[in-house]
Amino acid sequence: MEQRQILNVSTKLWLKSEGSERPDTEFVIEKYLGSGSNASAYIASLNGGKEKCILKELYPMNCGLKRDLAQQVHFAQHSDDEKLLLHQHREKYAGIKQRYLDSYKLQLKIHNTPELVLNQSTSIPRAVYENENGILYTAFSYQIGENYLSVTDE
């Protein structure tokens, strides 16, 4: 099974926002929060440290992704004999990416619907970004509050 490599603290990521041709936003990783089956989450600063956000990196297992020395995620290089495997990895990632974007848009819709009680239950979606290799990142508001695990029944 592939081993997911997390971003190092202080890593700088230049990402391009939706619709942009070139990277236009710099994020600096401050803390690793954890990983799920498809993404890893970090606290990151942006705008020269003036703002913080939760940055999620779509880095699913078993899609042939690797992190290089510059901390960029990309599809691993394959020999000519393995080009079909690379194609399968790219297709699998594209499917996961689309489902992740659909989920992001649903969360945005929930937050923009005031009559829903759920609209305050999760972080507010802020923006979608990609690195130069097409790897997806999503930014969410950074909200300081109680951690669910810290709340106990008395």
Side-chain angles (χ1 to χ4, degrees), residues 26 69-70 98 132 138-139 147 152:
E26 181 188 53
L69 294 175
Q98 187 57 56
E132 59 193 23
T138 51
N147 180 324
T152 57

Side-chain angles (χ1 to χ4, degrees), residues 96-137:
I96 293 170
K97 185 177 182 178
Q98 187 57 56
R99 285 191 304 277
Y100 189 83
L101 280 170
D102 291 346
S103 171
Y104 175 86
K105 289 174 186 173
L106 178 60
Q107 190 172 0
L108 189 58
K109 184 177 179 180
I110 288 169
H111 273 280
N112 291 331
T113 308
E115 58 273 9
L116 289 177
V117 176
L118 294 173
N119 72 350
Q120 297 301 317
S121 62
T122 59
S123 296
I124 301 166
R126 293 183 55 176
V128 176
Y129 300 90
E130 283 187 339
N131 74 4
E132 59 193 23
N133 303 309
I135 302 303
L136 189 74
Y137 295 78

Side-chain angles (χ1 to χ4, degrees), residues 64-78:
L65 296 171
K66 300 286 181 199
R67 189 177 305 284
D68 62 23
L69 294 175
Q71 298 289 290
Q72 291 289 316
V73 174
H74 57 86
F75 289 94
Q77 299 295 323
H78 293 282

Side-chain angles (χ1 to χ4, degrees), residues 5-13 29 31-32 40 42 55 57 59 67 70-73 137:
Q5 300 162 311
I6 63 170
L7 286 164
N8 297 324
V9 171
S10 299
T11 296
K12 292 181 180 182
L13 294 175
I29 301 303
K31 181 180 179 181
Y32 170 69
S40 296
Y42 304 88
L55 186 67
E57 177 182 56
Y59 185 2
R67 189 177 305 284
Q71 298 289 290
Q72 291 289 316
V73 174
Y137 295 78

